[in-house]
Amino acid sequence: MKGVVFTEFMDMVAERYGYETLDEVLAGAKLPHNGAYTAVGTYPHTEIVALVVSLSSKVGSPPDALVRAFGRHLFGRFAELYPVFFQDVPDALTFLERVDSVIHVEVRKLYPDAELPRFQASRRADGGLNLLYLSSRHFADLAEGLIEGCAEHFKQPLMVQRRNQPVADGSAGSAVMFHVSPASGVAASPDRVAA
Ligand code: HEM
């Protein structure tokens, strides 16, 4: 996983919980290089999992909620770091529709060794978007947080429902369908409304 993901994670922890907590989280994660990440380096994705687990035991929030919160934070940072990806994109659903075919294609040009998920996007007749997340890793919570961050960025409330899909026998990866819809006021539980 690219170092930019780690440096942004550490920035979020420092911002929300302070540097002392960040130091304890790094110590608790027992990483081989004591958390010395550079934005352009590449590190095992299991290290971000170790950091999340360490943060979770420190602050008492469940790992999935922390990863989603990180996804929301990360999207805001991506919007600052890569404004060019937002040019001529009129709305949140158009942005999400283009993550696989445009955004991550550009990301791969910047970082040829990036470990990116695949997304299959299809517009529904009701105006919503179905986004199928496919990865050899298990970062659907991160994807959900990024989708929520996208809604916040465009100031367009979205309702996000997710469902695990079967994966091929013997595959260690994950397949998760996100059913994304423009939110029209009140959402029924357990769907989540972002923004
Ligand atoms: C400006 C927008 C975006 C940029 C610049 C961007 C860039 C990146 C980068 C640099 C990584 C790390 C790759 C690595 O560590 O090797 C990544 C991973 C990932 N991205 Fe994006 N991304 C963007 C938007 C999104 C959105 C909107 C979603 C969700 C719909 C998404 C889903 C993911 C996920 C889930 C991963 C983790 C890897 C995995 O699950 O296999 N990204 N992205």
Side-chain angles (χ1 to χ4, degrees):
M1 184 157 255
K2 296 309 298 175
V4 63
V5 177
F6 291 88
T7 54
E8 290 302 335
F9 180 80
M10 293 193 293
D11 284 354
M12 181 192 77
V13 174
E15 234 170 65
R16 297 194 181 177
Y17 305 101
Y19 284 97
E20 203 173 310
T21 302
L22 174 59
D23 284 346
E24 288 164 7
V25 167
L26 286 168
K30 298 189 170 54
L31 300 166
H33 42 76
N34 291 325
Y37 296 104
T38 67
V40 291
T42 301
Y43 309 88
H45 71 272
T46 47
E47 291 188 13
I48 199 90
V49 178
L51 284 165
V52 169
V53 169
S54 177
L55 177 63
S56 171
S57 63
K58 182 77 204 136
V59 302
S61 304
D64 61 340
L66 292 170
V67 173
R68 277 207 315 278
F70 175 50
R72 290 196 296 276
H73 166 90
L74 191 59
F75 192 92
R77 289 292 294 138
F78 281 163
E80 289 170 10
L81 292 168
Y82 308 103
V84 66
F85 295 162
F86 292 81
Q87 272 166 20
D88 304 324
V89 182
D91 53 50
L93 286 187
T94 306
F95 189 92
L96 293 173
E97 197 175 10
R98 294 162 47 137
V99 165
D100 196 80
S101 57
V102 179
I103 310 295
H104 278 172
V105 172
E106 294 302 317
V107 169
R108 166 130 2 258
K109 289 183 196 162
L110 293 172
Y111 307 116
D113 59 347
E115 296 175 323
L116 296 163
R118 296 306 313 267
F119 285 99
Q120 289 171 6
S122 55
R123 285 283 182 151
R124 299 192 310 269
D126 66 2
L129 178 74
N130 285 348
L131 205 53
L132 178 62
Y133 165 81
L134 300 166
S135 177
S136 58
R137 293 161 293 279
H138 293 273
F139 287 126
D141 291 328
L142 185 67
E144 187 172 341
L146 285 159
I147 293 169
E148 292 171 351
C150 183
E152 278 164 28
H153 174 84
F154 284 94
K155 299 187 174 54
Q156 292 170 340
L158 296 176
M159 193 168 73
V160 184
Q161 296 166 287
R162 63 186 263 187
R163 180 167 298 164
N164 292 343
Q165 305 283 100
V167 285
D169 275 355
S171 157
S174 43
V176 177
M177 177 61 85
F178 290 97
H179 195 262
V180 187
S181 315
S184 49
V186 185
S189 179
D191 309 336
R192 297 193 183 96
V193 177

